């Protein structure tokens, strides 16, 4: 994919910048056209002259072009932003992540990142404590929500002598990841229609109380975001969650299982795939009180009768046609057996199994550990990965992309 592609390499001021000339060599060797933009702090670790020689292009360090610069225009960032097929910021320091999370444009790298029209890929590298700091982690969550690709740092010995997470991956790994992202962002799902459900459902007991579950909606939103970035036409039907709507995704908010059922049935036609990532309540109160229940009414305890909610996936499976149906199974015991049984009874093409008891999986977490079980074919067990990467792996399987 790299051949003939236009890549911007953004370099910020971390010790890992010493590896960037090697990365630049790999990219040009793969016949990519590379323009380098760097911060003044990065110039303390690797020189603009080296990077200019290797990229055979002038390196931008100043926001304002110098006299005699080839980059004459004051709007160089807009021009480069439109020129590029992808931008990689490596190393991306904690400071740069924070600036990007808040939309700063105070140096050549952040300014260009804000003016981009192509995928932005970040390779954070820093000391383990800076990486683990809640501010950095919150910024990363924001950056993922913007649709940026994060290439997570590796665990290893750091420049400080400490050992932990924070090392920039080797340059060969970075090159391969950029290559893979370019392939995916080449709109390989253009023309596909996808319906995704996400989040929990709330089943009302009275006007103020409900029965719900702990689903955060992150997995479904990651699927919607990944599919949309790959060019699909995405409709997202979500229960009550606190997650930002991904760009270019049509979002429909619902509260109860019944509302979700009605919304899915309304939008199910002409979908190439429906992915039910929502944690739909299986039971709802049989009656909903019109007024807030008072304690005096329930002196002996509150015994609510629950009725079965409509099983959305089962209804979809019964009249599935050509739509590729994907369900999720959250299990705690006999996982593969239970998930496979659900796949068959609900007439699905795939079921995504996760075990709620595994660390780094399930509700609320930013990562997930899943197995993709197809109706025909071999089960794929994926390692612990960010939910965004899990989403892409699921889409790859569903749409037969390797
Ligand atoms: N699902 C649905 N409608 C429901 C309940 C669940 O469409 N009323 C979907 C979920 O979105 C998920 C899949 O079915 O994709 C798995 O649901 P789950 O509740 O785990 O399975 P059940 O068959 O209900 O079995 P159990 O709760 O006993 O594990």
């Amino acid at each position: 994919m790299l051949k003939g592609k236009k890549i911007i390499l953004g370099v910020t001021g971390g010790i890992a910048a010493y590896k960037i000339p090697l990365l630049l060599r790999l990219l040009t060797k793969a016949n990519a056209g590379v323009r380098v933009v760097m911060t003044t702090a990065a110039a303390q670790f690797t020189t603009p002259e080296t990077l200019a020689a290797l990229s055979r292009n002038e390196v931008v360090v100043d926001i304002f072009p110098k006299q005699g610069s080839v980059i004459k225009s004051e709007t160089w960032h807009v021009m480069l932003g439109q020129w590029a097929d992808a931008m990689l910021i490596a190393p991306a320091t904690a400071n740069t992540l924070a600036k990007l999370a808040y939309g700063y444009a105070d140096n050549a790298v952040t300014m260009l990142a804000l003016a981009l029209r192509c995928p932005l890929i970040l390779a954070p590298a820093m000391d383990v404590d800076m990486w683990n700091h809640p501010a950095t982690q919150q910024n990363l969550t924001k950056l993922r929500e913007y649709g940026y690709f994060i290439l997570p740092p590796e665990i290893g010995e750091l420049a400080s002598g400490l050992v932990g997470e924070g090392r920039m991956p080797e340059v060969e790994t970075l090159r391969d990841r950029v290559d893979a992202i370019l392939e995916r962002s080449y709109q390989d799902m253009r023309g596909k229609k996808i319906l995704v459900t996400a989040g929990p459902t709330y089943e009302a007991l009275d006007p103020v109380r409900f029965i719900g579950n702990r689903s955060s909606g992150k997995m479904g939103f990651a699927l919607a975001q990944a599919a949309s970035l790959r060019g699909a036409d995405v409709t997202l039907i979500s229960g009550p969650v606190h997650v930002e709507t991904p760009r270019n995704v049509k979002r429909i908010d619902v509260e109860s299982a019944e509302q979700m059922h009605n919304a899915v049935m309304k939008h199910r036609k002409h979908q190439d795939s429906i992915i039910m990532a929502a944690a739909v309540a299986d039971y709802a109160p049989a009656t909903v009180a019109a007024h807030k229940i008072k304690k005096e009414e329930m002196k002996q305890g509150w015994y609510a009768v629950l009725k079965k909610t409509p099983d959305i996936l089962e209804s979809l499976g019964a009249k599935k046609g050509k739509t590729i149906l994907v369900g999720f199974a959250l299990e705690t015991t006999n996982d593969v057996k239970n998930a496979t049984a659900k796949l068959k009874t609900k007439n699905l093409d795939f079921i995504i199994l996760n075990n709620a008891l595994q660390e780094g999986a399930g509700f609320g977490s930013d990562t997930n550990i899943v197995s993709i079980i197809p109706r025909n074919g071999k089960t794929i067990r994926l390692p612990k990965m960010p939910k965004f990467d899990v989403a892409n792996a699921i889409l790859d399987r569903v749409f037969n992309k390797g």
Side-chain angles (χ1 to χ4, degrees):
M1 278 311 285
L2 282 166
K3 191 173 170 198
K5 290 290 175 296
K6 298 178 222 121
I7 312 279
I8 296 167
L9 189 53
V11 191
T12 67
I15 181 72
Y18 81 90
K19 294 182 183 169
I20 296 307
L22 296 169
L23 174 62
L24 182 49
R25 280 276 295 144
L26 288 179
L27 293 173
T28 52
K29 258 182 140 173
N31 289 319
V34 187
R35 300 294 310 248
V36 180
V37 177
M38 65 200 295
T39 61
T40 47
Q44 304 279 326
F45 296 95
T46 184
T47 72
E49 288 73 16
T50 310
L51 299 176
L54 290 172
S55 65
R56 296 185 208 102
N57 266 312
E58 187 173 334
V59 169
V60 186
V61 188
D62 295 315
I63 287 181
F64 301 104
K66 284 200 192 84
Q67 278 235 311
S69 166
V70 185
I71 306 150
K72 291 190 188 76
S73 168
E74 301 290 341
T75 52
W76 61 269
H77 57 299
V78 179
M79 278 156 31
L80 276 186
Q82 291 180 18
W83 166 84
D85 293 312
M87 177 174 181
L88 165 67
I89 303 183
T93 59
N95 189 34
T96 300
L97 297 182
K99 287 179 182 181
L100 293 173
Y102 287 91
Y104 279 60
D106 64 340
N107 63 41
V109 174
T110 52
M111 190 167 165
L112 179 51
L114 215 53
L116 278 189
R117 287 199 176 170
C118 60
L120 176 59
I121 308 162
L122 305 171
M126 62 200 71
D127 207 65
V128 57
D129 296 302
M130 296 173 86
W131 173 253
N132 285 332
H133 195 286
T136 303
Q137 291 303 318
Q138 270 176 31
N139 290 334
L140 284 163
T141 303
K142 252 181 172 232
L143 296 168
R144 282 197 188 95
E145 282 172 6
Y146 295 158
Y148 299 163
F149 295 84
I150 315 284
L151 309 183
E154 293 176 350
I155 298 170
E157 192 174 336
L158 304 167
S160 59
L162 294 176
V163 174
E165 211 169 349
R167 249 169 79 115
M168 191 172 80
E170 291 308 327
V171 287
E172 289 79 8
T173 312
L174 292 182
R175 176 202 53 198
D176 294 349
R177 293 298 308 271
V178 171
D179 194 72
I181 288 167
L182 272 171
E183 197 167 329
R184 278 180 178 154
S185 53
Y186 263 81
Q187 305 279 298
D188 64 344
M189 287 175 63
R190 185 172 286 177
K192 300 277 181 215
K193 270 176 78 78
I194 297 210
L195 175 63
V196 181
T197 65
T201 62
Y202 287 179
E203 310 302 329
L205 282 157
D206 70 17
V208 295
R209 304 184 181 95
F210 61 85
I211 299 175
N213 64 65
R214 296 184 203 280
S215 168
S216 65
K218 287 179 181 172
M219 192 61 240
F221 274 63
L223 277 159
Q225 183 180 41
S228 162
L229 282 168
R230 292 170 73 166
D233 173 357
V234 185
T235 305
L236 173 65
I237 298 176
S238 176
V241 294
H242 301 282
V243 192
E244 220 150 292
T245 313
R247 265 201 279 182
N248 300 324
V249 165
K250 285 186 261 27
R251 171 168 167 182
I252 297 160
D253 286 314
V254 297
E255 198 171 278
S256 65
E258 197 174 330
Q259 286 169 2
M260 187 171 278
H261 177 265
N262 295 343
V264 170
M265 291 306 148
K266 191 169 160 198
H267 292 91
R268 80 181 171 85
K269 284 206 190 110
H270 312 299
Q271 297 292 346
D272 292 289
S273 177
I274 301 179
I275 307 183
M276 286 288 306
V280 188
D282 289 320
Y283 293 89
T287 53
V288 183
H291 62 278
K292 185 185 165 215
I293 300 284
K294 303 294 290 173
K295 278 195 286 297
E296 301 85 72
E297 297 174 61
M298 300 290 177
K299 278 205 179 104
Q300 308 304 320
W302 188 339
Y303 299 94
V305 175
L306 304 181
K307 63 170 190 211
K308 186 93 185 62
T309 58
D311 192 314
I312 307 169
L313 255 182
E314 211 163 283
S315 323
L316 290 170
K319 43 188 165 197
K320 129 175 174 46
K322 286 197 184 121
T323 309
I324 305 166
L325 282 185
V326 185
F328 271 72
L330 185 67
E331 306 287 348
T332 50
T333 48
N334 290 331
D335 24 11
V336 177
K337 199 165 151 252
N338 284 339
T340 312
K342 269 176 211 171
L343 175 87
K344 291 196 178 134
T345 50
K346 299 196 186 193
N347 195 21
L348 310 179
D349 298 282
F350 294 91
I351 195 144
I352 315 301
L353 165 68
N354 50 140
N355 188 315
L357 302 181
Q358 257 176 312
E359 165 123 23
F363 290 170
S365 169
D366 284 324
T367 54
N368 210 352
I369 309 167
V370 307
S371 295
I372 304 174
I373 308 178
R375 182 206 284 268
N376 305 307
K378 270 182 43 193
T379 296
I380 301 166
R381 285 176 192 277
L382 297 176
K384 181 163 117 183
M385 302 201 290
K387 283 186 171 166
F388 185 71
D389 292 354
V390 174
N392 272 310
I394 294 170
L395 295 172
D396 284 347
R397 295 302 305 157
V398 169
F399 290 98
N400 225 350
K401 308 257 178 216

